[in-house]
Amino acid sequence: MSEEHTLPKVVCLGPLGTYSHQAGYEQFGDNVEYIERSSIRAVLDAVSSEIPFGLLPQENTIFGAVIEGYDALRSPAVGSSVFVRGEVVLPVQHCLIARKGVQFEQIERIISHEQALGQCTGFIAKHFPNVTLEKKPSTAAAARTLLEDDEMSLRSAAICSSLCAKIFDGLEVLQRSVQDTNINYTRFYVLAYTIDARPPVVRRVPQLRRALVRITLPPAQHTEQPAVSDGEDDEPTTPKPAHSRSLHLIMGTLLTTFGVPVIRIDRRPSASGCPFEDTYFIELEDFGTPVEPPVTGNSPADEAWLKKVRNGVAKVNAVGGLADVIGVW
């Protein structure tokens, strides 16, 4: 008897029908089983040997960086048991969806993920200047809210993909392409539970090698901040911003440390607990001709690229930083 073939699992922001799910299908097709989670952080936490891959929204061309995604990348697990191993760029076309029979003039509330709401501010301001806006963990969760058995759902609409009108029975598209510009793309990081795991992509597109490095200050360099007193006679003290220390470390070493172009720098507050300390995410790109990735594992050229990035990380650490390779693809 032959062994039953089980598909590898990919976790994405749910419920199914989100743009994360759609991006996953563009990248993996039917080669995987899709697992949903209710938040971006839960997606990252689910990546393991049982669920070896995941999708993390990283940036939108209209609304910028996905803050939840970068906050999740601050986790100590990233760089030790979770790694970025690829990327997917998805064209995004938002639709205004409501329960069947609901008309434009009846809508008093519009619900969606904050990224989608931000990408449709012009449409909302023009057609629904007085509606209530409500954020949901995902666009598909917003669509599912419309099916709740309450009176407000009959006066609500969701901004999401047209796929939701097919997945959730009882919904219909009121208007398509409600985003502020058609140059609307979202980039997703493909996560894996090891640094050499190769996601089962549908289309093997040649690309330049990239890497993602996280840099912060080690605990020993965090300046102790004075405690804020509750005494009535004491003057309040304000912690001194520490941006300059970490920024000096970053800018003073990046241009010469890695020897390859830095194509992106993102910054989020550090998870260290030190007020105004920062964590930087540095994306690197290799020089040369685009190459097609191998089917499994890393090629010798991939190993050489990883070694080069790790050597750069070692130099950052040698001058007082705390750097980790958290992605290579």
Side-chain angles (χ1 to χ4, degrees):
M1 182 181 295
S2 61
E3 293 185 6
E4 182 181 355
H5 177 68
T6 58
L7 296 175
K9 295 181 173 68
V10 173
V11 60
C12 60
L13 182 64
L16 299 184
T18 60
Y19 290 107
S20 291
H21 177 213
Q22 186 177 338
Y25 194 81
E26 291 288 330
Q27 184 77 345
F28 307 117
D30 294 320
N31 294 331
V32 301
E33 176 186 352
Y34 296 97
I35 306 297
E36 63 181 77
R37 288 293 185 269
S38 61
S39 70
I40 289 175
R41 179 55 191 259
V43 167
L44 186 143
D45 291 341
V47 176
S48 63
S49 58
E50 295 295 320
I51 307 177
F53 304 108
L55 284 158
L56 191 79
Q58 180 258 335
E59 183 188 23
N60 176 264
T61 52
I62 298 176
F63 207 54
V66 180
I67 299 304
E68 295 170 86
Y70 278 108
D71 283 348
L73 290 175
R74 298 180 304 177
S75 167
V78 180
S80 60
S81 59
V82 181
F83 299 86
V84 177
R85 289 291 288 146
E87 62 182 78
V88 187
V89 177
L90 179 73
V92 176
Q93 184 188 67
H94 291 306
C95 295
L96 187 72
I97 286 181
R99 284 175 64 162
K100 290 181 178 179
V102 174
Q103 303 299 314
F104 253 64
E105 59 272 14
Q106 295 175 286
I107 295 173
E108 299 177 5
R109 177 183 65 163
I110 294 179
I111 51 182
S112 193
H113 188 273
E114 66 173 341
Q115 276 272 335
L117 292 173
Q119 293 161 26
C120 303
T121 53
F123 171 82
I124 295 171
K126 179 179 179 180
H127 297 283
F128 302 99
N130 299 315
V131 300
T132 299
L133 302 181
E134 185 175 316
K135 298 176 184 178
K136 289 292 180 179
S138 70
T139 53
R144 191 161 61 180
T145 298
L146 299 177
L147 298 175
E148 293 179 354
D149 189 19
D150 59 37
E151 185 179 348
M152 193 62 198
S153 65
L154 297 174
R155 301 196 301 272
S156 300
I159 291 176
C160 52
S161 73
S162 60
L163 182 62
C164 289
K166 299 178 181 179
I167 292 178
F168 302 113
D169 189 37
L171 302 182
E172 63 180 351
V173 176
L174 294 182
Q175 186 164 329
R176 298 179 184 272
S177 295
V178 299
Q179 65 276 1
D180 292 344
T181 173
N182 287 328
I183 307 175
N184 188 20
Y185 298 86
T186 296
R187 183 185 187 220
F188 297 81
Y189 282 142
V190 179
L191 305 177
Y193 80 106
T194 67
I195 201 166
D196 57 358
R198 183 68 62 180
V201 298
V202 174
R203 293 171 298 165
R204 306 180 57 74
V205 181
Q207 63 181 36
L208 293 174
R209 293 183 181 87
R210 290 182 175 172
L212 188 63
V213 175
R214 183 182 59 210
I215 303 177
T216 187
L217 291 176
Q221 292 194 36
H222 291 154
T223 302
E224 185 176 347
Q225 301 291 341
V228 177
S229 174
D230 292 328
E232 295 181 1
D233 297 331
D234 293 339
E235 292 186 6
T237 56
T238 302
K240 187 178 296 184
H243 298 311
S244 58
R245 294 183 293 121
S246 50
L247 186 60
H248 176 76
L249 171 69
I250 300 301
M251 301 312 295
T253 60
L254 277 186
L255 296 181
T256 58
T257 296
F258 291 97
V260 294
V262 174
I263 62 172
R264 183 180 182 89
I265 301 176
D266 287 285
R267 174 172 66 90
R268 289 297 295 149
S270 172
S272 67
C274 180
F276 301 113
E277 190 52 83
D278 299 317
T279 295
Y280 285 83
F281 297 93
I282 313 299
E283 193 165 323
L284 309 168
E285 184 175 86
D286 195 11
F287 290 109
T289 304
V291 295
E292 183 175 318
V295 176
T296 59
N298 289 332
S299 68
D302 291 332
E303 293 295 340
W305 170 232
L306 177 58
K307 182 179 179 180
K308 186 172 189 176
V309 175
R310 282 176 167 163
N311 286 341
V313 162
K315 292 178 183 178
V316 174
N317 292 337
V319 296
L322 184 59
D324 296 286
V325 180
I326 64 172
V328 60
W329 65 100

PDB file of all heavy atoms in Angstrom, residues 147-177:
ATOM      1  N   LEU A 147     -22.363  39.079   7.295  1.00  0.00           N
ATOM      2  CA  LEU A 147     -23.337  37.990   7.387  1.00  0.00           C
ATOM      3  C   LEU A 147     -23.859  37.785   8.802  1.00  0.00           C
ATOM      4  O   LEU A 147     -24.676  36.891   9.042  1.00  0.00           O
ATOM      5  CB  LEU A 147     -22.703  36.691   6.874  1.00  0.00           C
ATOM      6  CG  LEU A 147     -22.280  36.716   5.398  1.00  0.00           C
ATOM      7  CD1 LEU A 147     -21.553  35.437   5.032  1.00  0.00           C
ATOM      8  CD2 LEU A 147     -23.489  36.920   4.495  1.00  0.00           C
ATOM      9  N   GLU A 148     -23.380  38.599   9.745  1.00  0.00           N
ATOM     10  CA  GLU A 148     -23.876  38.482  11.121  1.00  0.00           C
ATOM     11  C   GLU A 148     -25.352  38.863  11.180  1.00  0.00           C
ATOM     12  O   GLU A 148     -25.821  39.734  10.449  1.00  0.00           O
ATOM     13  CB  GLU A 148     -23.051  39.373  12.052  1.00  0.00           C
ATOM     14  CG  GLU A 148     -21.618  38.913  12.199  1.00  0.00           C
ATOM     15  CD  GLU A 148     -20.805  39.824  13.098  1.00  0.00           C
ATOM     16  OE1 GLU A 148     -21.337  40.880  13.514  1.00  0.00           O
ATOM     17  OE2 GLU A 148     -19.632  39.484  13.382  1.00  0.00           O
ATOM     18  N   ASP A 149     -26.068  38.191  12.060  1.00  0.00           N
ATOM     19  CA  ASP A 149     -27.516  38.385  12.151  1.00  0.00           C
ATOM     20  C   ASP A 149     -27.850  39.572  13.045  1.00  0.00           C
ATOM     21  O   ASP A 149     -28.276  39.420  14.189  1.00  0.00           O
ATOM     22  CB  ASP A 149     -28.176  37.108  12.688  1.00  0.00           C
ATOM     23  CG  ASP A 149     -29.700  37.174  12.605  1.00  0.00           C
ATOM     24  OD1 ASP A 149     -30.217  38.012  11.839  1.00  0.00           O
ATOM     25  OD2 ASP A 149     -30.360  36.393  13.321  1.00  0.00           O
ATOM     26  N   ASP A 150     -27.594  40.773  12.558  1.00  0.00           N
ATOM     27  CA  ASP A 150     -27.977  41.973  13.290  1.00  0.00           C
ATOM     28  C   ASP A 150     -28.386  43.058  12.294  1.00  0.00           C
ATOM     29  O   ASP A 150     -28.093  42.983  11.100  1.00  0.00           O
ATOM     30  CB  ASP A 150     -26.860  42.479  14.205  1.00  0.00           C
ATOM     31  CG  ASP A 150     -25.580  42.822  13.451  1.00  0.00           C
ATOM     32  OD1 ASP A 150     -25.669  43.335  12.324  1.00  0.00           O
ATOM     33  OD2 ASP A 150     -24.493  42.560  13.985  1.00  0.00           O
ATOM     34  N   GLU A 151     -29.066  44.053  12.795  1.00  0.00           N
ATOM     35  CA  GLU A 151     -29.609  45.095  11.934  1.00  0.00           C
ATOM     36  C   GLU A 151     -28.512  45.903  11.256  1.00  0.00           C
ATOM     37  O   GLU A 151     -28.651  46.333  10.108  1.00  0.00           O
ATOM     38  CB  GLU A 151     -30.514  46.022  12.753  1.00  0.00           C
ATOM     39  CG  GLU A 151     -31.225  47.079  11.939  1.00  0.00           C
ATOM     40  CD  GLU A 151     -32.124  47.961  12.787  1.00  0.00           C
ATOM     41  OE1 GLU A 151     -32.367  47.605  13.953  1.00  0.00           O
ATOM     42  OE2 GLU A 151     -32.556  49.005  12.285  1.00  0.00           O
ATOM     43  N   MET A 152     -27.371  46.117  11.943  1.00  0.00           N
ATOM     44  CA  MET A 152     -26.303  46.948  11.404  1.00  0.00           C
ATOM     45  C   MET A 152     -25.688  46.332  10.151  1.00  0.00           C
ATOM     46  O   MET A 152     -25.202  47.045   9.271  1.00  0.00           O
ATOM     47  CB  MET A 152     -25.229  47.181  12.466  1.00  0.00           C
ATOM     48  CG  MET A 152     -24.249  48.286  12.095  1.00  0.00           C
ATOM     49  SD  MET A 152     -25.109  49.875  11.924  1.00  0.00           S
ATOM     50  CE  MET A 152     -23.905  50.808  10.992  1.00  0.00           C
ATOM     51  N   SER A 153     -25.702  45.006  10.049  1.00  0.00           N
ATOM     52  CA  SER A 153     -25.109  44.360   8.879  1.00  0.00           C
ATOM     53  C   SER A 153     -25.868  44.710   7.602  1.00  0.00           C
ATOM     54  O   SER A 153     -25.316  44.630   6.499  1.00  0.00           O
ATOM     55  CB  SER A 153     -25.080  42.846   9.071  1.00  0.00           C
ATOM     56  OG  SER A 153     -26.399  42.322   9.131  1.00  0.00           O
ATOM     57  N   LEU A 154     -27.136  45.125   7.743  1.00  0.00           N
ATOM     58  CA  LEU A 154     -27.939  45.528   6.589  1.00  0.00           C
ATOM     59  C   LEU A 154     -27.686  46.978   6.194  1.00  0.00           C
ATOM     60  O   LEU A 154     -28.242  47.469   5.211  1.00  0.00           O
ATOM     61  CB  LEU A 154     -29.427  45.319   6.881  1.00  0.00           C
ATOM     62  CG  LEU A 154     -29.853  43.869   7.132  1.00  0.00           C
ATOM     63  CD1 LEU A 154     -31.317  43.810   7.558  1.00  0.00           C
ATOM     64  CD2 LEU A 154     -29.622  43.024   5.889  1.00  0.00           C
ATOM     65  N   ARG A 155     -26.852  47.677   6.978  1.00  0.00           N
ATOM     66  CA  ARG A 155     -26.490  49.060   6.657  1.00  0.00           C
ATOM     67  C   ARG A 155     -24.969  49.191   6.522  1.00  0.00           C
ATOM     68  O   ARG A 155     -24.415  50.272   6.711  1.00  0.00           O
ATOM     69  CB  ARG A 155     -27.013  50.019   7.740  1.00  0.00           C
ATOM     70  CG  ARG A 155     -28.516  49.972   7.932  1.00  0.00           C
ATOM     71  CD  ARG A 155     -29.028  51.190   8.701  1.00  0.00           C
ATOM     72  NE  ARG A 155     -28.425  51.302  10.004  1.00  0.00           N
ATOM     73  CZ  ARG A 155     -28.896  50.714  11.114  1.00  0.00           C
ATOM     74  NH1 ARG A 155     -29.976  49.952  11.032  1.00  0.00           N
ATOM     75  NH2 ARG A 155     -28.303  50.870  12.279  1.00  0.00           N
ATOM     76  N   SER A 156     -24.328  48.075   6.215  1.00  0.00           N
ATOM     77  CA  SER A 156     -22.864  48.044   6.167  1.00  0.00           C
ATOM     78  C   SER A 156     -22.362  47.520   4.830  1.00  0.00           C
ATOM     79  O   SER A 156     -23.075  46.817   4.109  1.00  0.00           O
ATOM     80  CB  SER A 156     -22.309  47.160   7.287  1.00  0.00           C
ATOM     81  OG  SER A 156     -22.696  47.632   8.554  1.00  0.00           O
ATOM     82  N   ALA A 157     -21.136  47.874   4.538  1.00  0.00           N
ATOM     83  CA  ALA A 157     -20.434  47.338   3.373  1.00  0.00           C
ATOM     84  C   ALA A 157     -19.000  47.046   3.781  1.00  0.00           C
ATOM     85  O   ALA A 157     -18.488  47.613   4.761  1.00  0.00           O
ATOM     86  CB  ALA A 157     -20.473  48.322   2.207  1.00  0.00           C
ATOM     87  N   ALA A 158     -18.353  46.170   3.045  1.00  0.00           N
ATOM     88  CA  ALA A 158     -16.956  45.819   3.308  1.00  0.00           C
ATOM     89  C   ALA A 158     -16.109  46.125   2.083  1.00  0.00           C
ATOM     90  O   ALA A 158     -16.592  46.039   0.944  1.00  0.00           O
ATOM     91  CB  ALA A 158     -16.833  44.349   3.673  1.00  0.00           C
ATOM     92  N   ILE A 159     -14.867  46.502   2.312  1.00  0.00           N
ATOM     93  CA  ILE A 159     -13.893  46.639   1.231  1.00  0.00           C
ATOM     94  C   ILE A 159     -13.005  45.409   1.269  1.00  0.00           C
ATOM     95  O   ILE A 159     -12.337  45.135   2.274  1.00  0.00           O
ATOM     96  CB  ILE A 159     -13.068  47.928   1.385  1.00  0.00           C
ATOM     97  CG1 ILE A 159     -13.957  49.154   1.145  1.00  0.00           C
ATOM     98  CG2 ILE A 159     -11.891  47.936   0.422  1.00  0.00           C
ATOM     99  CD1 ILE A 159     -13.260  50.478   1.373  1.00  0.00           C
ATOM    100  N   CYS A 160     -13.027  44.646   0.189  1.00  0.00           N
ATOM    101  CA  CYS A 160     -12.290  43.386   0.145  1.00  0.00           C
ATOM    102  C   CYS A 160     -12.149  42.964  -1.313  1.00  0.00           C
ATOM    103  O   CYS A 160     -12.438  43.741  -2.220  1.00  0.00           O
ATOM    104  CB  CYS A 160     -13.008  42.313   0.968  1.00  0.00           C
ATOM    105  SG  CYS A 160     -14.754  42.114   0.523  1.00  0.00           S
ATOM    106  N   SER A 161     -11.707  41.745  -1.550  1.00  0.00           N
ATOM    107  CA  SER A 161     -11.558  41.253  -2.915  1.00  0.00           C
ATOM    108  C   SER A 161     -12.883  40.695  -3.410  1.00  0.00           C
ATOM    109  O   SER A 161     -13.753  40.298  -2.622  1.00  0.00           O
ATOM    110  CB  SER A 161     -10.484  40.171  -2.985  1.00  0.00           C
ATOM    111  OG  SER A 161     -10.957  38.972  -2.390  1.00  0.00           O
ATOM    112  N   SER A 162     -13.038  40.638  -4.734  1.00  0.00           N
ATOM    113  CA  SER A 162     -14.255  40.060  -5.314  1.00  0.00           C
ATOM    114  C   SER A 162     -14.388  38.589  -4.966  1.00  0.00           C
ATOM    115  O   SER A 162     -15.487  38.032  -4.986  1.00  0.00           O
ATOM    116  CB  SER A 162     -14.246  40.245  -6.836  1.00  0.00           C
ATOM    117  OG  SER A 162     -13.119  39.596  -7.411  1.00  0.00           O
ATOM    118  N   LEU A 163     -13.254  37.954  -4.615  1.00  0.00           N
ATOM    119  CA  LEU A 163     -13.278  36.542  -4.231  1.00  0.00           C
ATOM    120  C   LEU A 163     -14.197  36.301  -3.045  1.00  0.00           C
ATOM    121  O   LEU A 163     -14.827  35.245  -2.938  1.00  0.00           O
ATOM    122  CB  LEU A 163     -11.851  36.083  -3.905  1.00  0.00           C
ATOM    123  CG  LEU A 163     -11.642  34.627  -3.517  1.00  0.00           C
ATOM    124  CD1 LEU A 163     -12.042  33.705  -4.660  1.00  0.00           C
ATOM    125  CD2 LEU A 163     -10.186  34.390  -3.138  1.00  0.00           C
ATOM    126  N   CYS A 164     -14.321  37.293  -2.161  1.00  0.00           N
ATOM    127  CA  CYS A 164     -15.158  37.128  -0.968  1.00  0.00           C
ATOM    128  C   CYS A 164     -16.629  36.963  -1.336  1.00  0.00           C
ATOM    129  O   CYS A 164     -17.376  36.264  -0.634  1.00  0.00           O
ATOM    130  CB  CYS A 164     -14.987  38.324  -0.032  1.00  0.00           C
ATOM    131  SG  CYS A 164     -13.381  38.378   0.777  1.00  0.00           S
ATOM    132  N   ALA A 165     -17.059  37.604  -2.408  1.00  0.00           N
ATOM    133  CA  ALA A 165     -18.455  37.473  -2.832  1.00  0.00           C
ATOM    134  C   ALA A 165     -18.745  36.059  -3.341  1.00  0.00           C
ATOM    135  O   ALA A 165     -19.905  35.629  -3.357  1.00  0.00           O
ATOM    136  CB  ALA A 165     -18.772  38.503  -3.910  1.00  0.00           C
ATOM    137  N   LYS A 166     -17.690  35.352  -3.755  1.00  0.00           N
ATOM    138  CA  LYS A 166     -17.858  33.966  -4.198  1.00  0.00           C
ATOM    139  C   LYS A 166     -17.768  32.991  -3.032  1.00  0.00           C
ATOM    140  O   LYS A 166     -18.471  31.980  -2.995  1.00  0.00           O
ATOM    141  CB  LYS A 166     -16.800  33.634  -5.248  1.00  0.00           C
ATOM    142  CG  LYS A 166     -16.881  34.489  -6.505  1.00  0.00           C
ATOM    143  CD  LYS A 166     -15.764  34.130  -7.479  1.00  0.00           C
ATOM    144  CE  LYS A 166     -15.831  35.004  -8.724  1.00  0.00           C
ATOM    145  NZ  LYS A 166     -14.734  34.687  -9.683  1.00  0.00           N
ATOM    146  N   ILE A 167     -16.880  33.307  -2.083  1.00  0.00           N
ATOM    147  CA  ILE A 167     -16.667  32.403  -0.950  1.00  0.00           C
ATOM    148  C   ILE A 167     -17.819  32.462   0.041  1.00  0.00           C
ATOM    149  O   ILE A 167     -18.280  31.435   0.551  1.00  0.00           O
ATOM    150  CB  ILE A 167     -15.335  32.733  -0.253  1.00  0.00           C
ATOM    151  CG1 ILE A 167     -14.166  32.390  -1.178  1.00  0.00           C
ATOM    152  CG2 ILE A 167     -15.201  31.990   1.065  1.00  0.00           C
ATOM    153  CD1 ILE A 167     -12.822  32.731  -0.599  1.00  0.00           C
ATOM    154  N   PHE A 168     -18.318  33.682   0.330  1.00  0.00           N
ATOM    155  CA  PHE A 168     -19.358  33.858   1.342  1.00  0.00           C
ATOM    156  C   PHE A 168     -20.712  34.041   0.659  1.00  0.00           C
ATOM    157  O   PHE A 168     -20.983  35.068   0.035  1.00  0.00           O
ATOM    158  CB  PHE A 168     -19.041  35.060   2.227  1.00  0.00           C
ATOM    159  CG  PHE A 168     -17.717  34.967   2.933  1.00  0.00           C
ATOM    160  CD1 PHE A 168     -16.679  35.832   2.612  1.00  0.00           C
ATOM    161  CD2 PHE A 168     -17.498  34.006   3.892  1.00  0.00           C
ATOM    162  CE1 PHE A 168     -15.461  35.743   3.251  1.00  0.00           C
ATOM    163  CE2 PHE A 168     -16.276  33.900   4.538  1.00  0.00           C
ATOM    164  CZ  PHE A 168     -15.255  34.775   4.216  1.00  0.00           C
ATOM    165  N   ASP A 169     -21.549  33.046   0.791  1.00  0.00           N
ATOM    166  CA  ASP A 169     -22.859  33.081   0.156  1.00  0.00           C
ATOM    167  C   ASP A 169     -23.721  34.190   0.767  1.00  0.00           C
ATOM    168  O   ASP A 169     -23.769  34.348   1.983  1.00  0.00           O
ATOM    169  CB  ASP A 169     -23.559  31.726   0.349  1.00  0.00           C
ATOM    170  CG  ASP A 169     -24.827  31.624  -0.464  1.00  0.00           C
ATOM    171  OD1 ASP A 169     -24.865  32.135  -1.588  1.00  0.00           O
ATOM    172  OD2 ASP A 169     -25.802  31.033   0.057  1.00  0.00           O
ATOM    173  N   GLY A 170     -24.392  34.942  -0.089  1.00  0.00           N
ATOM    174  CA  GLY A 170     -25.265  36.007   0.380  1.00  0.00           C
ATOM    175  C   GLY A 170     -24.704  37.398   0.189  1.00  0.00           C
ATOM    176  O   GLY A 170     -25.372  38.387   0.490  1.00  0.00           O
ATOM    177  N   LEU A 171     -23.468  37.493  -0.356  1.00  0.00           N
ATOM    178  CA  LEU A 171     -22.846  38.798  -0.593  1.00  0.00           C
ATOM    179  C   LEU A 171     -22.770  39.078  -2.094  1.00  0.00           C
ATOM    180  O   LEU A 171     -22.758  38.155  -2.912  1.00  0.00           O
ATOM    181  CB  LEU A 171     -21.438  38.836   0.017  1.00  0.00           C
ATOM    182  CG  LEU A 171     -21.318  38.561   1.513  1.00  0.00           C
ATOM    183  CD1 LEU A 171     -19.867  38.695   1.955  1.00  0.00           C
ATOM    184  CD2 LEU A 171     -22.215  39.477   2.317  1.00  0.00           C
ATOM    185  N   GLU A 172     -22.708  40.357  -2.450  1.00  0.00           N
ATOM    186  CA  GLU A 172     -22.552  40.729  -3.845  1.00  0.00           C
ATOM    187  C   GLU A 172     -21.683  41.979  -3.965  1.00  0.00           C
ATOM    188  O   GLU A 172     -21.564  42.766  -3.018  1.00  0.00           O
ATOM    189  CB  GLU A 172     -23.907  40.979  -4.501  1.00  0.00           C
ATOM    190  CG  GLU A 172     -24.696  42.124  -3.918  1.00  0.00           C
ATOM    191  CD  GLU A 172     -26.031  42.309  -4.611  1.00  0.00           C
ATOM    192  OE1 GLU A 172     -26.269  41.653  -5.653  1.00  0.00           O
ATOM    193  OE2 GLU A 172     -26.854  43.107  -4.111  1.00  0.00           O
ATOM    194  N   VAL A 173     -21.070  42.152  -5.124  1.00  0.00           N
ATOM    195  CA  VAL A 173     -20.209  43.301  -5.393  1.00  0.00           C
ATOM    196  C   VAL A 173     -21.065  44.494  -5.793  1.00  0.00           C
ATOM    197  O   VAL A 173     -21.846  44.427  -6.744  1.00  0.00           O
ATOM    198  CB  VAL A 173     -19.195  42.987  -6.513  1.00  0.00           C
ATOM    199  CG1 VAL A 173     -18.370  44.223  -6.846  1.00  0.00           C
ATOM    200  CG2 VAL A 173     -18.281  41.828  -6.104  1.00  0.00           C
ATOM    201  N   LEU A 174     -20.916  45.603  -5.044  1.00  0.00           N
ATOM    202  CA  LEU A 174     -21.609  46.850  -5.392  1.00  0.00           C
ATOM    203  C   LEU A 174     -20.797  47.680  -6.379  1.00  0.00           C
ATOM    204  O   LEU A 174     -21.353  48.319  -7.267  1.00  0.00           O
ATOM    205  CB  LEU A 174     -21.881  47.684  -4.136  1.00  0.00           C
ATOM    206  CG  LEU A 174     -22.854  47.097  -3.108  1.00  0.00           C
ATOM    207  CD1 LEU A 174     -23.041  48.068  -1.963  1.00  0.00           C
ATOM    208  CD2 LEU A 174     -24.195  46.779  -3.756  1.00  0.00           C
ATOM    209  N   GLN A 175     -19.467  47.693  -6.197  1.00  0.00           N
ATOM    210  CA  GLN A 175     -18.607  48.442  -7.125  1.00  0.00           C
ATOM    211  C   GLN A 175     -17.204  47.861  -7.072  1.00  0.00           C
ATOM    212  O   GLN A 175     -16.689  47.519  -6.006  1.00  0.00           O
ATOM    213  CB  GLN A 175     -18.572  49.933  -6.774  1.00  0.00           C
ATOM    214  CG  GLN A 175     -17.807  50.762  -7.801  1.00  0.00           C
ATOM    215  CD  GLN A 175     -18.083  52.247  -7.681  1.00  0.00           C
ATOM    216  OE1 GLN A 175     -19.172  52.661  -7.294  1.00  0.00           O
ATOM    217  NE2 GLN A 175     -17.095  53.064  -7.992  1.00  0.00           N
ATOM    218  N   ARG A 176     -16.580  47.774  -8.235  1.00  0.00           N
ATOM    219  CA  ARG A 176     -15.217  47.264  -8.341  1.00  0.00           C
ATOM    220  C   ARG A 176     -14.212  48.416  -8.435  1.00  0.00           C
ATOM    221  O   ARG A 176     -14.573  49.553  -8.731  1.00  0.00           O
ATOM    222  CB  ARG A 176     -15.077  46.351  -9.568  1.00  0.00           C
ATOM    223  CG  ARG A 176     -15.965  45.117  -9.515  1.00  0.00           C
ATOM    224  CD  ARG A 176     -15.821  44.266 -10.762  1.00  0.00           C
ATOM    225  NE  ARG A 176     -16.748  43.151 -10.736  1.00  0.00           N
ATOM    226  CZ  ARG A 176     -16.484  41.970 -10.175  1.00  0.00           C
ATOM    227  NH1 ARG A 176     -15.293  41.753  -9.632  1.00  0.00           N
ATOM    228  NH2 ARG A 176     -17.383  41.002 -10.196  1.00  0.00           N
ATOM    229  N   SER A 177     -12.967  48.098  -8.196  1.00  0.00           N
ATOM    230  CA  SER A 177     -11.849  49.056  -8.329  1.00  0.00           C
ATOM    231  C   SER A 177     -12.098  50.341  -7.554  1.00  0.00           C
ATOM    232  O   SER A 177     -12.112  51.437  -8.111  1.00  0.00           O
ATOM    233  CB  SER A 177     -11.592  49.381  -9.814  1.00  0.00           C
ATOM    234  OG  SER A 177     -11.162  48.232 -10.505  1.00  0.00           O
TER     235      SER A 177
END
